[in-house]
Amino acid sequence: MKKILLLLSILTIYQTGATQIATIKGEESREPLDFATLYSEEPETFAITNARGQADVSAFAGAQEIEVRLIGYESRILSYTEMEKAGFELFLTPSSISLDQVVVSATKWEQGRRQTPAHVATISAREVAMQNPQTAADLLGSSGQVFIQKSQQGGGSPMIRGFATNRLLIAVDGVRMNTAIFRSGNLQNVISLDPFATERTEVLFGPGSVIYGSDAIGGVMSFYTLTPQLSLGEKTFVKGKGAARYATANEEFSGHADANIGWKRWALVSSVSHNRYGDLRMGRHGPKEYLRPEYVQRIDGEDRVLANNDPLVQRPSGYAQTNMLQKVRFQPNEAWNLTYAFHYSTTTDYGRYDRLLRYRTGLPRSAEWYYGPQEWMMNHLSIHHKTAGGIFDQFHLNLAHQFFEESRIDRDFNDTERRRRVEKVNAYSANLDFSKKLGSKHQLLYGLEGVFNDVTSSGTNEDIRTGKTQAGPSRYPQSTWESYAAYFNYQFDATERLLLQAGARYAQFALGADFDTTFYPFPFTSANLRDGALTGSMGLVYSPAAEWQLSGNLSTGFRAPNVDDIGKVFDSEPGAVVVPNPGLTAEYAYNAEVGLARVFDNVLKVDLTGFYTILDDALVRRNFMLNGQDSIVYDGELSQVQAVQNAARATVWGLQVGLEAKLPAGFGFSARFNYQKGEEELDDGSTSPLRHAAPWFGVTRLKYATGRLRLELNAFLNGEVPYEDMPQEERSKDYLYAMDDNGNPYSPAWYTLNFRAMYQLADSFSITAGLENITDRRYRPYSSGLAGAGRNLVLAVRGRF
């Protein structure tokens, strides 16, 4: 402790010069703009404006080109001298038409969009305030570029380019959230993140394993949470904001508050949010199969099927959630920046709604099926250092400990045994990332990563009549999973118009598991896996003119087998049980993509990305033998034995198209369209449509802005999945789908028409209103168990100081 205090004292004494403050404002509103970015390559430095539109630009002294950017505004490029002549007060002109944008997720370092050959989508806090997403899953879906599947209201499983669940990676402030029990079935971990406390979200499309390691096959979703802001002068910097929201479709009540106190070297930010969601009401017009005509309730010691007095209400689907965030920042000088963060999220119990839709012999199969509280906690220490000379110019050190707890509780109809399975994961990670400029044309990014997961799993069976509890089979073996890796990424500015990029990563991973044979006669009591994975990428960005951008990218990704793959016992579907298989290796993805973006006269922007991905040695569920038997009794039912195996090859290709237009008189138009088509190899050698390749989907938006008023009329669109295009394993889940004229399950096309308005009543107070699903459509996104919200009035107020 004494050594730490001595280091902090030395750092505090070390000073780099006087502070110079720049203020960024809107050209029309003349109001300060927060989250505007200032970026310079020489000297290489980066700054973000605070709530007062201010940023310390001392480190930019002598810079010949400083790029000032903010989504929704035209970028500006000027020198430090020009900024000084302007009195360090700059104005940005509103515009959504630009090829310039700062992104972080592509390399973990701030870079211009023209330095990134991969497609990256950004969702700003300003856009989140307009769209009012209830969860982080809804936040991703609001982009129109990420498909969201929902098995229950307390969930949201993203699908990107034909991949989902443990083939996508979630990162929070640069720390991987994926654990060793992220499964191939639909996940809801992303809802642990708080949209109110998120400053910016980025989605990197395609493999990101060179930078992020295992699981980054289909894409990376990066969430950047509130940053403690320092005072840029002698006066203490104090700011805060609050929000309250109500929605009619599920009688949502949400509240949020955060506060920031900043001094010259220390800053604190605290945030808390609470959400309460009632049972979700679906729309009136649509397939009758989605209605909820009855539900189960236990009365006087018996399970009874009761008529639902309103079949549009999906009972039970309500739940509540609380999120908290605390960060402490210490910046002794311009060279060092240290931040400690504490994140915490928990939910109440919430029903696994899709499992409650299953029937057996004319009666509901389950009387109860719900998740226990989903708990997530993270302690995160981030250290950033800048220096001159040596083997690096900057480094990031991220040390994190995360704790996850989740549980599943179910009971069959008219059965007195309630089964409870509880999983806990302690996840430790360390990331050390370096950046080094090699002259004016070369940059080397490199780093090290270590990840360790400790998984504990338990099971209990309770007799609900007597209250007696006894040990039951656990979902997972007691396990550890670890990964250690090194990577590099090299960028070469070949000319002013051409950038080349190449990178590679080598990861060594290991898994150890101890199996309990008390309940299942496994032919083994332990499993140990140790293997390595090598991935790489090559890309280029060519800008023949300021209005053009062409890009190409070849990349590989991998997913190491985790505890969920090797050691899980669970019922995947009625009549099938998945058992452990310790003989797995990593699966690999090989991806090629090309992109084109063009701006026409600063009023129209078109971008197009095409991709083709091959997944080899895919980890898929296949029929299996256990002790020479192809079926065993599981939870009282004779079930087909299955296991996850390296047994398939899958391909997926698609297009992502975007259009933005600046129209006269304050109007604007934009659209996003996504098409993906995939197939996977089946056990008999035939092929089936890829399960996580969503139907085509997109969004169109007509916007209007004048002064303090913003209006938007949008339509979310979704294509049909006919029975003949339905993945093989989805065809047996007829309880999720509508029925076609032949009595076969299919997923109908659907749309929602939505209107939103935001009015800035005063500098510190705004009100937002929205009417979602105006035509009250009854729809259910592909592969989902929960129908979408019917006509929904959303009211929100926001205030700040």
Side-chain angles (χ1 to χ4, degrees):
M1 186 65 184
K2 291 182 179 179
K3 293 181 179 179
I4 294 175
L5 292 174
L6 178 60
L7 174 61
L8 295 179
S9 300
I10 294 172
L11 293 174
T12 304
I13 293 172
Y14 176 63
Q15 297 295 316
T16 59
T19 299
Q20 178 59 61
I21 309 302
T23 303
I24 313 297
K25 297 181 179 180
E27 180 70 43
E28 294 180 356
S29 66
R30 297 284 160 164
E31 292 182 356
L33 300 176
D34 54 354
F35 302 118
T37 60
L38 297 90
Y39 176 72
S40 167
E41 290 188 0
E42 188 63 42
E44 186 178 7
T45 190
F46 181 84
I48 301 177
T49 57
N50 62 20
R52 295 174 184 166
Q54 297 176 329
D56 183 356
V57 294
S58 307
F60 291 85
Q64 296 301 309
E65 288 191 356
I66 303 172
E67 289 190 78
V68 185
R69 302 168 176 163
L70 179 63
I71 296 176
Y73 292 85
E74 292 182 4
S75 299
R76 287 193 61 180
I77 300 178
L78 71 169
S79 67
Y80 186 84
T81 302
E82 290 171 327
M83 187 182 294
E84 189 175 26
K85 289 180 180 178
F88 293 100
E89 185 176 45
L90 305 179
F91 296 92
L92 299 184
T93 303
S95 172
S96 60
I97 311 300
S98 174
L99 293 179
D100 296 314
Q101 183 182 341
V102 171
V103 295
V104 178
S105 59
T107 62
K108 292 188 179 180
W109 297 92
E110 298 86 358
Q111 290 189 313
R113 180 65 184 84
R114 293 177 183 270
Q115 297 175 291
T116 306
H119 178 54
V120 180
T122 301
I123 308 168
S124 68
R126 186 169 180 258
E127 188 63 20
V128 169
M130 183 69 174
Q131 300 301 325
N132 270 312
Q134 291 189 344
T135 68
D138 296 334
L139 183 157
L140 291 167
S142 70
S143 69
Q145 300 188 65
V146 179
F147 187 91
I148 301 297
Q149 179 277 349
K150 288 190 178 183
S151 298
Q152 65 280 328
Q153 192 173 192
S157 188
M159 295 184 183
I160 299 175
R161 288 190 175 184
F163 298 101
T165 61
N166 54 16
R167 291 180 180 134
L168 302 177
L169 188 126
I170 304 170
V172 184
D173 292 333
V175 177
R176 65 179 288 134
M177 193 183 198
N178 292 40
T179 71
I181 64 171
F182 267 40
R183 56 190 180 275
S184 59
N186 299 308
L187 288 169
Q188 59 267 0
N189 296 77
V190 74
I191 71 166
S192 292
L193 305 175
D194 182 8
F196 285 115
T198 302
E199 288 183 343
R200 188 179 75 261
T201 303
E202 294 182 11
V203 181
L204 171 68
F205 293 87
S209 287
V210 168
I211 303 298
Y212 292 94
S214 178
D215 303 1
I217 286 180
V220 178
M221 298 161 285
S222 295
F223 296 83
Y224 302 94
T225 61
L226 296 174
T227 301
Q229 297 182 2
L230 299 166
S231 172
L232 301 179
E234 297 301 323
K235 187 178 179 180
T236 301
F237 176 73
V238 179
K239 74 153 191 171
K241 61 180 182 292
R245 184 175 61 223
Y246 171 74
T248 59
N250 57 358
E251 296 186 348
E252 176 209 12
F253 287 96
S254 291
H256 167 80
D258 65 68
N260 183 102
I261 303 177
W263 297 275
K264 291 283 289 184
R265 298 186 180 92
W266 291 90
L268 311 171
V269 65
S270 303
S271 171
V272 61
S273 299
H274 181 74
N275 315 93
R276 195 209 73 184
Y277 310 106
D279 293 332
L280 182 65
R281 176 195 173 279
M282 67 181 82
R284 290 187 179 277
H285 310 294
K288 65 180 185 302
E289 291 87 354
Y290 299 165
L291 294 172
R292 179 69 162 156
E294 56 191 22
Y295 62 97
V296 176
Q297 189 169 323
R298 193 163 182 82
I299 301 174
D300 297 330
E302 294 184 1
D303 292 330
R304 298 186 183 180
V305 179
L306 303 180
N308 190 356
N309 56 10
D310 186 352
L312 299 179
V313 176
Q314 301 172 87
R315 307 178 63 172
S317 58
Y319 75 106
Q321 179 169 336
T322 300
N323 285 77
M324 292 185 287
L325 168 66
Q326 177 65 57
K327 288 188 179 182
V328 181
R329 177 182 178 185
F330 175 56
Q331 184 175 320
N333 51 62
E334 292 296 327
W336 290 89
N337 196 337
L338 298 84
T339 302
Y340 164 75
F342 172 77
H343 300 255
Y344 181 75
S345 174
T346 188
T347 69
T348 59
D349 294 345
Y350 53 96
R352 175 70 188 266
Y353 183 77
D354 64 335
R355 291 297 180 98
L356 299 175
L357 303 178
R358 301 178 301 170
Y359 278 71
R360 180 168 52 190
T361 63
L363 291 172
R365 179 178 176 182
S366 299
E368 304 174 7
W369 216 121
Y370 61 93
Y371 289 107
Q374 178 173 293
E375 184 175 343
W376 171 63
M377 179 185 70
M378 180 167 75
N379 290 282
H380 175 207
L381 176 63
S382 172
I383 301 175
H384 180 212
H385 177 55
K386 299 179 183 178
T387 188
I391 62 172
F392 63 87
D393 300 323
Q394 302 182 68
F395 79 70
H396 286 312
L397 174 62
N398 284 302
L399 303 174
H401 164 250
Q402 298 178 79
F403 172 77
F404 301 81
E405 180 175 341
E406 57 188 52
S407 55
R408 295 160 177 79
I409 303 93
D410 76 292
R411 182 175 63 83
D412 290 344
F413 188 78
N414 283 332
D415 193 344
T416 61
E417 183 181 71
R418 177 185 290 139
R419 296 172 289 272
R420 182 183 297 269
R421 307 293 180 256
V422 180
E423 288 76 52
K424 299 179 181 180
V425 180
N426 282 285
Y428 306 86
S429 61
N431 293 83
L432 187 55
D433 302 295
F434 298 92
S435 172
K436 177 63 180 178
K437 279 279 191 180
L438 304 171
S440 60
K441 293 182 175 292
H442 308 269
Q443 185 174 21
L444 181 64
L445 310 174
Y446 60 101
L448 304 169
E449 179 186 68
V451 178
F452 180 83
N453 283 194
D454 184 18
V455 179
T456 61
S457 183
S458 61
T460 56
N461 296 333
E462 176 192 358
D463 188 317
I464 61 173
R465 288 185 175 175
T466 64
K468 290 184 178 180
T469 300
Q470 61 182 9
S474 62
R475 182 176 172 88
Y476 298 112
Q478 309 310 304
S479 314
T480 60
W481 184 91
E482 55 195 289
S483 173
Y484 305 96
Y487 80 91
F488 78 89
N489 193 64
Y490 168 70
Q491 293 184 340
F492 171 46
D493 290 312
T495 69
E496 291 184 358
R497 298 179 178 181
L498 177 64
L499 177 137
L500 303 176
Q501 178 177 290
R505 179 188 189 99
Y506 180 74
Q508 187 77 19
F509 54 88
L511 183 151
D514 295 319
F515 292 90
D516 183 356
T517 59
T518 303
F519 300 97
Y520 301 110
F522 299 131
F524 43 79
T525 58
S526 65
N528 292 281
L529 170 69
R530 183 174 294 275
D531 204 350
L534 177 65
T535 53
S537 66
M538 294 189 302
L540 62 87
V541 180
Y542 178 61
S543 301
E547 302 82 11
W548 275 95
Q549 180 176 306
L550 305 173
S551 61
N553 196 33
L554 299 173
S555 56
T556 61
F558 80 99
R559 186 172 76 82
N562 64 17
V563 174
D564 185 85
D565 297 312
I566 287 180
K568 177 172 61 177
V569 178
F570 83 113
D571 59 325
S572 61
E573 58 191 21
V577 59
V578 175
V579 300
N581 177 15
L584 299 178
T585 60
E587 61 181 10
Y588 285 87
Y590 305 91
N591 178 72
E593 65 182 90
V594 293
L596 179 150
R598 175 76 159 93
V599 172
F600 299 88
D601 297 326
N602 291 322
V603 296
L604 177 65
K605 174 186 172 183
V606 178
D607 66 88
L608 171 67
T609 302
F611 65 91
Y612 186 87
T613 307
I614 298 172
L615 184 66
D616 202 17
D617 284 333
L619 294 165
V620 294
R621 216 161 44 224
R622 292 287 186 264
N623 290 342
F624 197 62
M625 301 288 286
L626 182 63
N627 290 334
Q629 296 180 310
D630 62 5
S631 299
I632 62 173
V633 176
Y634 178 77
D635 282 345
E637 181 177 353
L638 185 65
S639 301
Q640 168 71 53
V641 174
Q642 297 180 333
V644 174
Q645 304 170 56
N646 293 100
R649 176 185 172 95
T651 59
V652 59
W653 65 272
L655 297 171
Q656 294 175 283
V657 184
L659 183 147
E660 298 178 53
K662 185 177 181 180
L663 305 176
F667 284 93
F669 177 82
S670 66
R672 299 295 318 181
F673 174 79
N674 310 271
Y675 179 86
Q676 44 280 313
K677 193 78 170 178
E679 62 179 25
E680 62 180 330
E681 182 182 4
L682 298 179
D683 204 18
D684 60 3
S686 63
T687 61
S688 169
L690 190 63
R691 177 190 172 197
H692 289 136
W696 67 260
F697 67 98
V699 62
T700 62
R701 307 181 195 272
L702 178 65
K703 300 180 180 181
Y704 175 75
T706 178
R708 296 175 178 267
L709 178 65
R710 294 174 60 197
L711 303 176
E712 179 180 309
L713 179 67
N714 66 50
F716 281 82
L717 311 167
N718 202 102
E720 175 184 323
V721 182
Y723 176 75
E724 53 269 22
D725 292 339
M726 189 76 70
Q728 194 70 33
E729 62 181 296
E730 291 296 299
R731 293 183 179 184
S732 62
K733 303 175 184 177
D734 55 358
Y735 56 91
L736 298 181
Y737 296 103
M739 294 296 156
D740 63 18
D741 294 338
N742 297 317
N744 294 319
Y746 82 111
S747 180
W750 56 267
Y751 73 93
T752 62
L753 187 64
N754 316 280
F755 176 76
R756 305 182 190 281
M758 175 183 282
Y759 187 71
Q760 194 77 31
L761 293 172
D763 291 344
S764 58
F765 188 76
S766 67
I767 183 169
T768 305
L771 187 60
E772 301 175 342
N773 195 359
I774 296 172
T775 58
D776 210 17
R777 305 304 303 172
R778 184 186 308 143
Y779 68 97
R780 184 178 283 172
Y782 163 72
S783 193
S784 296
L786 190 79
R791 186 180 295 121
N792 185 28
L793 176 64
V794 183
L795 299 173
V797 293
R798 285 177 169 80
R800 64 181 183 181
F801 62 88

